[in-house]
Every structure is written in C-alpha cells, then in structure tokens.
Amino acid sequence: GAVVSQHPSRVICKSGTSVKIECRSLDFQATTMFWYRQFPKKSLMLMATSNEGSKATYEQGVEKDKFLINHASLTLSTLTVTSAHPEDSSFYICSAADRGLAYEQYFGPGTRLTVT
Amino acid sequence: KQEVTQIPAALSVPEGENLVLNCSFTDSAIYNLQWFRQDPGKGLTSLLLIQSSQREQTSGRLNASLDKSSGRSTLYIAASQPGDSATYLCAVASGSARQLTFGSGTQLTVLP
C-alpha cells in the first residue's frame, strides 16, 4: 500500500513554455503533499508544502508565481513550472502524507525536467 | 532551522564488509527519522523509519539507530553486497507540517 505516482516521468520543453507535473496518491488520501527539487549530485530541497483545499506554503527562496502548486483533491497535487528556463532543469519529486499513516511521507518516482 | 549532516560523503568498501553510515541533526525536536536509498537517476526507496520514541529499527541486513538527545543516527549495513551500491539519504521530520529535512547523502560503492 501507500503508493504515489508522478506523471510524466520525463519531460523536455522549450524555454518560455509551461510544464505541469502531476502527483497522485493511488491507494490513500493525502491531506498533505510536498514538492522537492534535486540538483545533480545534490540532496533534496523542499520547495513547498500543500494541504488539500488551501494555498501552498513555499520555502524561502522559492518563487510562488513561477512554481504554481494546486492541491485540489485528497489524491492529486500538481506543480506547474511557468515560463520555464534552462536553470529550471532538475529532478522534481513529490511526496504524500496522511494522519492515518502516522504522517509518514511516501515518495513518487520523480520527474526529470529538461528545458532547452 | 533544522540542519542534517551525513558523514562520510562517499565510501568505497570491498564486498562482504560491514559498514556504518552516520547522520546528525541540529534540532532534537523531531517526529521521526528515515533512511532512504537512491539509485542514479531514480526516486527514493524508503529503507527504515524510526519514530522519535524508538531507539532502533531493523530490516534484513540493515539496522538503524537513533539517539535523539545527541542528534545522531547510524545506519549499519551487514555483509555488504555490490547491489547495495547507491546513495543513502537520511531525513528528519520536524516542524508543524512534519517537513522532511534531508542530509546531503553518502555515496556507497561496494566493490565485488
């Protein structure tokens, strides 16, 4: 149980376009979802925390107008990278947590974004 | 602000050796601590989760300990195998949303 999926697993886009990444909890309801970013050979950095039905809380230094997060339901959160630039190229990973699962975070497989 | 440090950054050992990876954190007010494995270009695989009230957890050849008061955790891998080669990440859950703060990882190479 406690499976989290991400789609797409890999995406290439041109500078200036927007890209949407989906994160779904497949077999549980997630009251909280998290978005992380990982640079090559670096650790994961928390970008934002989102609770279902409310606005996301962004970490310091993360532009909320550039990284739009929507947590419209208990099983789906989306991250939209707007007006993407090559420096946005990275590995994006989501996780989901719920009180019923002792708040343990379950991670998606990640999305590799390349902006050309 | 929680900070997590992992030592060493990289480790290379011959097959069959027992090894210890270290993790330290600055704020002892944590909910839990997790150890993850990450293969190149892949997502995270959860290995062990230790709740703040626990001292250790075991799974197969893996044993993780937690000393919350001193802000330390160790991951012990017994009888290492080439398939254990990966990056091992330590993360602690703290804060109102139980956010995870990750260490920078230990890149392990087990030589056949």
Side-chain angles (χ1 to χ4, degrees):
Chain A
V3 178
V4 176
S5 70
Q6 269 184 252
H7 179 80
S9 58
R10 189 179 295 268
V11 58
I12 301 172
C13 70
K14 293 185 177 180
S15 285
T17 62
S18 294
V19 175
K20 180 184 286 188
I21 302 170
E22 292 187 348
C23 177
R24 291 181 185 272
S25 57
L26 299 183
D27 51 2
F28 68 101
Q29 293 185 326
T31 51
T32 307
M33 286 186 169
F34 304 85
W35 287 95
Y36 297 85
R37 179 175 182 175
Q38 187 177 33
F39 292 100
K41 299 190 183 299
K42 299 291 185 182
S43 192
L44 280 73
M45 299 296 294
L46 179 65
M47 298 174 67
T49 302
S50 74
N51 292 300
E52 187 263 339
S54 61
K55 290 184 178 180
T57 301
Y58 290 80
E59 295 298 302
Q60 192 172 8
V62 178
E63 299 177 59
K64 62 181 182 181
D65 294 330
K66 181 166 187 62
F67 298 100
L68 300 178
I69 292 171
N70 183 279
H71 191 165
S73 77
L74 285 172
T75 59
L76 173 65
S77 176
T78 60
L79 167 66
T80 301
V81 183
T82 63
S83 186
H85 288 100
E87 56 265 31
D88 298 325
S89 299
S90 193
F91 193 53
Y92 293 88
I93 306 178
C94 74
S95 70
D98 186 70
R99 179 175 56 196
L101 296 172
Y103 295 107
E104 180 176 352
Q105 289 188 34
Y106 294 90
F107 284 79
T111 296
R112 173 73 59 191
L113 170 63
T114 303
V115 185
T116 61
Chain B
K1 179 184 175 184
Q2 181 74 266
E3 293 182 2
V4 180
T5 303
Q6 288 187 248
I7 295 173
L11 181 63
S12 183
V13 300
E15 181 177 5
E17 198 162 291
N18 302 325
L19 57 100
V20 175
L21 308 181
N22 296 291
C23 172
S24 62
F25 47 95
T26 54
D27 185 352
S28 62
I30 66 171
Y31 292 99
N32 60 58
L33 181 146
Q34 278 186 269
W35 283 94
F36 295 88
R37 169 185 173 141
Q38 186 175 33
D39 293 288
K42 303 293 185 181
L44 303 180
T45 299
S46 179
L47 299 174
L48 291 165
L49 181 147
I50 311 176
Q51 298 291 353
S52 63
S53 59
Q54 298 174 324
R55 298 281 293 182
E56 66 175 346
Q57 283 286 338
T58 298
S59 175
R61 294 182 293 109
L62 305 179
N63 175 275
S65 68
L66 172 64
D67 185 342
K68 200 172 71 166
S69 61
S70 68
R72 295 184 182 185
S73 175
T74 61
L75 177 66
Y76 175 82
I77 302 177
S80 58
Q81 303 171 358
D84 295 330
S85 298
T87 296
Y88 290 80
L89 295 165
C90 163
V92 297
S94 56
S96 58
R98 305 187 186 220
Q99 305 95 309
L100 286 179
T101 303
F102 282 82
S104 53
T106 294
Q107 186 173 354
L108 173 65
T109 302
V110 181
L111 304 170

